[in-house]
Each structure stands twice: as structure tokens, then as C-alpha cells.
Amino acid sequence: MAKLVLSLNSIIQREYEINQERLVIGRKPDVDIQIDSLQVSGKHALIITMLNDSFLEDLGSTNGSYVNGKLTNKHALKNCDVITIGRHEITYINEHATSDDDIFEKTISIKSDLTSAVVASATTSIDVGMPLCCLSILNGPNAGKEMDLSKALITLGKKGLQVAEIACRPEGYFLTQTEGDNFLLVNSEEIDAKEYKLKDSDLIELAGIKMQFLQI
């Protein structure tokens, strides 16, 4: 079973088995993984687990969440990733976690040159009650194709250039950029690292590809 190893100054303090879908990390006593430090927000971050994979999501913390030294809002965890929250470290141990290459190649790849998008899914299917949505590709060699957003978390973009995630939740579909020096565009306006709730007919420009978010 996958687990999280909490340590401070390289000294292991506690190990937590990942035996539930959601684990909240924070300073409050009622969270699943409590870290008693003023550098940690009351509810600092969330670990979401589906099938063999887990995902870290920062909960708007004051000091941020880091994975392998990089500040992140959302991150698909890989075996031996180190999450830093305040001065504490949490090592993710899961030999069955999906690798980077597998995440980017698990589903459809819209390929060719740097103006092409690489699209992939990393989690299980969405709940039946959610509205069905898709991305319609508007330019490039795959113009006219549609991709159903039938997974709980979709990664899209060009690794090393621009990468973003679309997360499906009961409240809707949320777009967040996870990689790239330039901000992606929605309806010709830049969005920053904060998540954006997608609306029907929104136009997304990412890694040179234009896509339209559509409710089916």
C-alpha cells in the first residue's frame, strides 16, 4: 500500500498509509495529517488518491506547497516525490504510481511539431452525474478533432513548453497551468497559476494550440 513518510530535519516522525481517497494536511488538530508548526496553514494541502495514483493540491496556504523543491498548486505524485510544507518533508512512497512518461502517453497524443498539444489522462472516469464536456481542437494538424473530458484529471500541453490540467469536480471543470514561463490564454486573456472555472464555449490557447471547451 502507498504511504506518506513525515520527517523533520531528516528524522522520520510518522508514517501514514494512504487508505482513503482524501487526506488533508495542516496545522489544525482535526486534519488527517497534522503538522504542528506556525509555517503550516490550518488546512494547508490535500492528497487525492484514485486507483494507483495520488495528487497533491495546495489549499490556498500562506507559505505554499513544494514538490521536489518546486512551488506547485497541483501535482501528480510519483514514487519518492518529496513534498515540502514549511520545514517538514513528506515523502510519497508508491512503487505502482504512474510515471511521467505513462501519464503523457496513457491516452491520446495529438502530435507533430512544437505547435502540437500532448493530451493525457491520469485518473479514473468522472461520476455519471457530471455534465459531459469536450475540447474541440481549432488549429494545427488535428483541427476539427474532439477530445471527451471523461476523466477526473486531464493533463494537456507540451512538456517543457506549457502544461495545464483540467480537473473535474462536482462544482465543474477547473483549468490550472502547471508548467511554462508564459501564461496560457482563455478568451484571449492570460490566466495566472490560480485555477479557472471553465464555462461553455471558452477558448483556450495552450502551447500554440487553440481549443474550445464545450458542454455536450
Side-chain angles (χ1 to χ4, degrees), residues 22-132:
R22 298 165 66 89
L23 291 169
V24 178
I25 304 168
R27 192 178 70 252
K28 289 186 175 181
D30 60 343
V31 299
D32 301 295
I33 300 176
Q34 185 190 18
I35 300 177
D36 188 12
S37 169
L38 293 178
Q39 294 181 329
V40 180
S41 298
K43 291 187 177 180
H44 195 109
L46 174 67
I47 302 286
I48 301 173
T49 300
M50 286 172 277
L51 299 179
N52 289 326
D53 292 299
S54 299
F55 304 85
L56 173 73
E57 179 176 349
D58 186 83
L59 296 176
S61 66
T62 301
N63 294 319
S65 300
Y66 295 78
V67 177
N68 302 327
K70 294 183 179 179
L71 182 66
T72 185
N73 287 319
K74 292 186 179 71
H75 182 84
L77 293 167
K78 302 180 298 297
N79 187 37
C80 296
D81 272 352
V82 177
I83 304 164
T84 302
I85 294 179
R87 296 173 55 207
H88 288 72
E89 293 184 341
I90 301 173
T91 304
Y92 175 70
I93 305 296
N94 182 5
E95 295 180 356
H96 302 290
T98 305
S99 68
D100 267 346
D101 292 339
D102 290 339
I103 286 175
F104 272 81
E105 309 214 348
K106 188 175 275 190
T107 58
I108 182 171
S109 290
I110 302 173
K111 54 187 178 179
S112 71
D113 55 14
L114 287 179
T115 64
S116 297
V118 178
V119 182
S121 164
T123 67
T124 188
S125 299
I126 65 173
D127 293 336
V128 175
M130 289 294 299
L132 295 178

